[in-house]
Amino acid sequence: LGMALLLALCLLLSGCGGRIELTVDNETDMAPWQEAEEETDEGEQAPAALTSFALAYHAGQSLDPITCGDGAQLQLATLLYEPLFQLDGEFSPQPLLCTGYTVSEDGLVYTLSIRQGVTFSDGSQLEARDVASSLRRAAASQRYGSRLRDIRQVTTRGSDTVVVTLARPNSHLPALLDIPVVKTGTEEDAAPAGTGPYLFITSGEGAFLAANPNWWQGRTLPLERIELVDAKDSDTVLYLFTAREIQVYAADLTRGEAALSGRLDAVDIPTATMQFLGINTRRAALQDQELRRVLRLGIPRETVVEGYLSGHAAPAQFAISPASGDYPAEMETAYSLE
């Protein structure tokens, strides 16, 4: 990570957004919080290297990934909790807390096998009841309710099997189940128990994230400790970032947030969120389907992306992210001014 990291979670003409990813460059021995050497203009003093890595959070607000607010709390939640399935770069679901599943012939019943040997932050074992409880809460929540509206029932079979029954077939269900799992009975805690790589710790000096020594994945983490800085609102988060008191700021350009510039690294993370350009078909001339087709072909989407979203977008001719393996790139029509 550079001196300052801007995660541009920009919702694009195919969206950009997602989760915090902390990585270490294997080609250098530089610690992740140290600044890479840069050439500066004569007389310009380069900022001092960071001695710690910090993220913003809202003290006193829940970190429950199903009910917490968007922004800082939800970003922290991605380091504390894990889902059944994790979407890869092409939005294909890869099993995480789930090791596999079967589907009934009518496509209405999914039987999910829960990974064994996974422990929560309090040392207890992950069980099917924890997954089932999280899915039921998610289906009733504002954040996930829409995507899970086809779920009719969630039950368990022993301690390692969850059965999801749908009201109608949906072959994309596994991709919709990237729902964070929390331990049953801890939902009301400030930081419910999770299975993620970090632990939420509070002390007399404040709060911080510590590497989970019992993380089931066993992979080496880039940071043993992540400091947390209290921020009352999004404006405070932006101030803390520009003041270099925190090292990550998520900007959503579709909500009018600024695309920052300067000595920082910008990272775009694709999402399935789309921005649409509409045509007012109530106007008489625009009721002509052929005219609308010409207008659709005559919109230079690349120019729109650069002009309105500072390039933090992917032009798309179809209502699906171009990052998806299902995007029909062969059906695109190249823009031509003529």
Side-chain angles (χ1 to χ4, degrees):
L1 299 177
M3 179 61 184
L5 175 64
L6 167 64
L7 283 188
L9 309 187
C10 313
L11 307 183
L12 317 179
L13 283 185
S14 159
C16 277
R19 62 187 183 280
I20 294 176
E21 292 189 352
L22 303 178
T23 58
V24 176
D25 185 351
N26 292 326
E27 296 182 359
T28 176
D29 294 329
M30 182 181 66
W33 54 83
Q34 291 178 326
E35 178 188 8
E37 294 183 3
E38 296 184 15
E39 294 183 3
T40 59
D41 296 336
E42 186 175 353
E44 179 184 354
Q45 184 176 2
L50 298 177
T51 57
S52 66
F53 188 91
L55 299 174
Y57 89 117
H58 305 307
Q61 296 186 22
S62 173
L63 283 166
D64 174 23
I66 294 175
T67 61
C68 73
D70 293 336
Q73 300 301 85
L74 190 57
Q75 292 164 22
L76 288 187
T78 67
L79 300 175
L80 302 173
Y81 308 98
E82 296 175 311
L84 282 171
F85 294 88
Q86 184 170 286
L87 302 184
D88 62 18
E90 294 186 351
F91 294 102
S92 296
Q94 304 300 325
L96 195 62
L97 296 183
C98 172
T99 59
Y101 64 93
T102 60
V103 187
S104 62
E105 291 186 3
D106 60 6
L108 294 176
V109 180
Y110 281 74
T111 303
L112 311 173
S113 298
I114 306 306
R115 188 179 298 277
Q116 299 300 288
V118 177
T119 58
F120 284 107
S121 54
D122 62 0
S124 61
Q125 294 287 320
L126 169 70
E127 295 185 0
R129 64 174 182 169
D130 303 304
V131 174
S133 174
S134 294
L135 291 182
R136 294 189 195 107
R137 293 177 58 234
S141 71
Q142 181 177 1
R143 173 170 291 125
Y144 298 111
S146 178
R147 72 160 77 174
L148 301 180
R149 62 183 178 274
D150 288 337
I151 292 182
R152 190 178 69 186
Q153 187 179 42
V154 180
T155 59
T156 61
R157 187 183 301 163
S159 62
D160 62 355
T161 303
V162 173
V163 180
V164 178
T165 303
L166 304 179
R168 58 181 179 176
N170 187 342
S171 60
H172 296 293
L173 181 65
L176 302 178
L177 295 182
D178 59 337
I179 307 295
V181 174
V182 304
K183 181 181 178 179
T184 303
T186 68
E187 300 92 346
E188 300 299 323
D189 295 350
T195 65
Y198 285 90
L199 308 174
F200 178 77
I201 307 293
T202 56
S203 66
E205 299 179 355
F208 62 93
L209 299 184
N212 183 356
N214 299 316
W215 187 34
W216 66 274
Q217 293 196 41
R219 293 191 283 117
T220 301
L221 297 173
L223 299 167
E224 287 296 317
R225 177 175 172 133
I226 298 175
E227 306 296 335
L228 298 180
V229 181
D230 184 18
K232 64 179 181 179
D233 52 36
S234 58
D235 289 338
T236 305
V237 174
L238 177 58
Y239 168 78
L240 291 173
F241 181 73
T242 56
R244 296 194 176 118
E245 293 187 36
I246 62 173
Q247 278 64 62
V248 172
Y249 175 73
D252 180 353
L253 302 190
T254 65
R255 297 180 181 178
E257 298 175 5
L260 305 182
S261 60
R263 296 174 61 83
L264 51 82
D265 295 325
V267 179
D268 289 337
I269 302 177
T271 72
T273 304
M274 309 293 293
Q275 288 279 296
F276 292 92
L277 301 176
I279 294 177
N280 184 5
T281 57
R282 293 183 180 180
R283 300 294 295 272
L286 296 176
Q287 293 175 9
D288 186 308
Q289 183 177 358
E290 187 65 13
L291 176 57
R292 295 200 303 272
R293 186 185 70 85
V294 171
L295 288 175
R296 178 174 59 83
L297 294 176
I299 295 174
R301 289 170 174 78
E302 293 80 0
T303 302
V304 174
V305 166
E306 290 295 331
Y308 291 93
L309 293 170
S310 302
H312 298 290
Q317 292 188 17
F318 306 97
I320 182 173
S321 170
S324 171
D326 294 328
Y327 186 80
E330 69 282 357
M331 297 177 61
E332 284 189 330
T333 302
Y335 170 74
S336 168
L337 177 62
E338 290 77 15

